[in-house]
Amino acid sequence: MAGQELPETAVKQARRLRTRSNRLARRITLIWRSNASSDFDQAFSLSMPSLFAALDTEQLDTATDAIATTPQSMTALDGHPLYAHYKPDPRQWVGVDGAGYDTLDAMWGAVVAGKQAVKRGVDEQIALKVIEDEIQQRARTILADTARSSSAMSARGRYHTATYVRALTPPSCGRCVILAGKPSGAKAFERHPRCDCIAVYAARMPKGACADPREYLDGLDEKQLARTLGSKANAQAYKDGADMNALVNAYRRKGGVATAQVYDRTIKYTTESTTRRGFASHRMIDSGYAKDFVKRGGRSTRVDRPRLMPETIYEIVGADHDKALRLLHNYGWLD
């Protein structure tokens, strides 16, 4: 696994989880398509027996696997076995989602999403695809939650204050990459839909359980790096020394990255880090690219000039690499 030094048991556990997730997604897609019709409620009812049989099976296998292999990973990290005060029953994870609710409620939400799409004027066939995608996403999320929760219970059955680091199961998105190796206590890490990051537990924080995110990124080829960081320009900026956190966080808010027409040129910019507390905003003012802070609706106060994304910066400078580095620095992309 690129960029990580994980116990082999944890690596294999992550691979098996991804295999189950992909298998489940394929299975429930076929089930839904075989029953899909204009009557969403009836289609879901007809799909339920096979759909939940598949989901229950994968949840049981996932919980059983996590409960069995987590102690092995802990032993590999800590260097000695830990006595089990209790052993969790994997059946307790069947039929419930990450919040403890019935999986029926979670999966029914896909039908609700389809109905809402129709109310917005979406074509019926597209609404059916919305339901299909939602069912897939919800099933994957439920399975990932099952793995994390059962791993946590198994770990704390051996050491009640067991902590963990966040581990990737490549390929991973930029949001997950910059969090790789982050330690946590009892509170589970936040994740986005379909996130399949895993928790690697130990009695104490292990050194080198996960290498830093930079090592992971450096192991990717150009295409993979561009996909992870959002664009080819962002990948080039990273190679030029740009802060990976800044590149990824530019996209963390909806509408955070946008385009605009300025002086007969289409630019791409971000609002991230442009408030009074933002690092980039003060760089822009110090370099003369911005003059002051202005109020832009609500309580938001930002610099009076757009913060250019690396894509626009490289377009402006052309082949002048020194100027590109200077602009990347002045717009807050370089430390």
Side-chain angles (χ1 to χ4, degrees), residues 44-303:
F44 187 78
S45 296
L46 292 172
S47 301
M48 280 178 59
S50 299
L51 189 155
F52 285 100
L55 179 57
D56 289 352
T57 297
E58 297 298 356
Q59 277 194 287
L60 180 60
D61 289 348
T62 296
T64 300
D65 187 15
I67 290 169
T69 57
T70 296
Q72 298 172 23
S73 297
M74 293 178 70
T75 300
L77 289 173
D78 295 325
H80 57 84
L82 296 170
Y83 173 75
H85 297 285
Y86 62 82
K87 184 177 180 180
D89 180 358
R91 293 173 296 180
Q92 300 305 311
W93 278 269
V94 177
V96 293
D97 65 8
Y101 296 111
D102 196 304
T103 51
L104 174 59
D105 297 328
M107 300 301 281
W108 174 254
V111 177
V112 174
K115 292 180 176 180
Q116 291 173 339
V118 171
K119 286 184 177 180
R120 295 194 303 269
V122 172
D123 181 78
E124 180 183 288
Q125 292 303 312
I126 296 178
L128 286 170
K129 185 63 168 65
V130 168
I131 296 175
E132 178 182 311
D133 292 344
E134 281 283 333
I135 286 177
Q136 272 196 37
Q137 177 175 295
R138 289 163 186 265
R140 286 181 183 273
T141 300
I142 287 170
L143 211 60
D145 285 338
T146 297
R148 278 186 284 270
S149 179
S150 53
S151 289
M153 189 66 71
S154 180
R156 287 169 188 143
R158 284 168 166 73
Y159 198 84
H160 73 283
T161 58
T163 187
Y164 65 78
V165 290
R166 181 172 181 149
L168 305 176
T169 55
S172 299
C173 72
R175 286 177 290 175
C176 292
V177 170
I178 63 175
L179 295 173
K182 292 291 184 182
S184 179
K187 184 178 179 181
F189 54 77
E190 293 184 3
R191 44 130 181 101
H192 59 82
R194 296 185 66 174
C195 170
D196 58 1
C197 289
I198 62 171
V200 181
Y201 285 89
R204 61 189 63 84
M205 185 49 55
K207 294 182 179 180
C210 293
D212 62 54
R214 184 173 291 278
E215 187 176 349
Y216 172 80
L217 292 176
D218 290 345
L220 301 178
D221 60 32
E222 291 185 8
K223 187 175 181 180
Q224 292 170 331
L225 185 61
R227 184 185 303 114
T228 301
L229 295 179
S231 70
K232 291 182 180 180
N234 288 350
Q236 182 59 51
Y238 170 76
K239 292 179 180 179
D240 284 338
D243 178 36
M244 60 184 172
N245 293 280
L247 293 170
V248 172
N249 287 336
Y251 298 88
R252 68 178 175 176
R253 292 185 179 88
K254 186 176 181 180
V257 175
T259 58
Q261 196 73 19
V262 179
Y263 301 122
D264 298 325
R265 177 192 292 273
T266 299
I267 67 167
K268 183 173 283 189
Y269 68 95
T270 180
T271 57
E272 183 66 23
S273 192
T274 59
T275 63
R276 286 188 181 275
R277 295 183 179 181
F279 172 72
S281 59
H282 293 282
R283 277 276 185 88
M284 291 168 64
I285 290 176
D286 291 344
S287 62
Y289 292 154
K291 296 180 180 179
D292 203 351
F293 293 93
V294 295
K295 196 160 181 132
R296 298 183 180 275
R299 295 179 296 176
S300 177
T301 303
R302 302 182 181 277
V303 286

